[in-house]
Amino acid sequence: MGEHTKQKPPLMRRSSFWIGAIILVVLIGAATVGRGTISGWLTPHTTKTVKPKPKPKPKPVKLTPYEKKVAAKYQIPAQATALAHVAPVTAIGDSVMVDIIPELKQVFPRVHVNGQVGRQFYELPGIARTLKAQGSLAQNVVVNLGTNGPPEKADVAKFLKVVGPKRQVYWINTHVPTQKWEHQTNTLIDRTAKDNDNVHVVDWHTLSKGHTKWFAPDHIHLEEAGANAYVGLLAKTMAED
């Protein structure tokens, strides 16, 4: 007879089975303690999303009696009125701005206005350079040009180089429905604001749409109600940005 083949013991009687089982139990226990569940051990840990804390509400502003009158006349919130009263501003513009100097000075007592009838966009870089050399170019620069013709990209680029990235530029877009360059001007202003973080559009074109009584017969220069709305919009835009 041939030699009998030695049979292996049943699986559960093998020492290797029990050693493996003990190791598995230890691992499962560690996973349960460390992760809470086996599924937590087998799957990657998910971190809870921490919600950002809401921004604190601005503290209530106490206005002087004069400031309250200004806020009511120009329909400006208290916070925007208070900011406008202390903000150093340089305003560069054409005849539209020249006409509303009294309103600008009521809302922005620290404004320096440089306006001229018939002014064109190409003059802007030189004006800004002169004001800067004189120490008169404030932290906030307001521009209102476009009544007399469209801007050129090169002139806008030169102006922004003079102003620099730290000053804030508030560009009032144009309401000249009788002129073909209105859309061209406003498109370039929008693009300039998108490309430069320190440039903000004051959207006078949208606000004034349909308000024919705000304008003189030429549909460009402002009556009293239009001047109030114009300056009020500027103050609110500056407070938002």
Side-chain angles (χ1 to χ4, degrees):
M1 292 179 68
E3 291 183 3
H4 291 289
T5 308
K6 191 174 179 182
Q7 292 185 349
K8 291 182 180 180
L11 180 62
M12 294 186 67
R13 291 180 61 187
R14 296 181 201 167
S15 59
S16 59
F17 170 83
W18 289 109
I19 291 169
I22 291 166
I23 292 170
L24 183 60
V25 169
V26 171
L27 288 173
I28 290 172
T32 305
V33 172
R35 305 281 184 164
T37 61
I38 297 176
S39 61
W41 172 59
L42 295 174
T43 56
H45 223 14
T46 28
T47 349
K48 288 183 180 178
T49 308
V50 181
K51 290 183 180 178
K53 290 182 180 179
K55 288 183 181 178
K57 291 182 180 178
K59 293 179 181 178
V61 176
K62 191 174 181 181
L63 300 180
T64 65
Y66 175 75
E67 288 171 340
K68 285 178 182 176
K69 286 180 182 177
V70 169
K73 179 180 177 181
Y74 295 93
Q75 297 182 14
I76 313 169
Q79 190 80 20
T81 304
L83 287 170
H85 268 63
V86 297
V89 177
T90 299
I92 304 170
D94 50 33
S95 57
V96 174
M97 186 170 282
V98 171
D99 287 348
I100 62 166
I101 288 175
E103 288 82 1
L104 279 169
K105 289 190 172 180
Q106 271 195 327
V107 177
F108 300 95
R110 297 180 64 188
V111 69
H112 172 79
V113 181
N114 186 297
Q116 186 178 318
V117 177
R119 181 171 278 167
Q120 297 280 350
F121 253 106
Y122 69 81
E123 301 176 66
L124 184 58
I127 294 164
R129 203 175 291 114
T130 302
L131 291 171
K132 189 176 182 180
Q134 293 170 348
S136 301
L137 195 62
Q139 180 62 29
N140 303 292
V141 181
V142 175
V143 177
N144 169 218
L145 290 170
T147 304
N148 305 299
E152 296 290 337
K153 286 182 184 178
D155 294 324
V156 173
K158 287 176 190 173
F159 165 70
L160 292 178
K161 190 174 180 181
V162 174
V163 169
K166 292 184 179 178
R167 287 184 179 86
Q168 300 301 306
V169 176
Y170 296 90
W171 215 306
I172 302 167
N173 61 15
T174 307
H175 177 100
V176 279
T178 57
Q179 302 298 337
K180 59 185 179 181
W181 60 74
E182 181 190 71
H183 178 71
Q184 179 187 343
T185 300
N186 292 340
T187 300
L188 183 54
I189 291 171
D190 284 341
R191 265 190 216 144
T192 305
K194 283 175 185 173
D195 294 342
N196 298 272
D197 292 338
N198 66 322
V199 178
H200 316 277
V201 178
V202 182
D203 196 359
W204 173 239
H205 180 262
T206 298
L207 181 67
S208 62
K209 198 173 287 184
H211 291 282
T212 52
K213 291 182 179 179
W214 286 2
F215 295 92
D218 64 2
H219 307 292
I220 296 169
H221 295 87
L222 302 173
E223 299 289 358
E224 185 181 354
N228 292 351
Y230 182 102
V231 177
L233 174 64
L234 175 59
K236 283 182 269 193
T237 306
M238 289 179 69
E240 287 166 6
D241 298 312

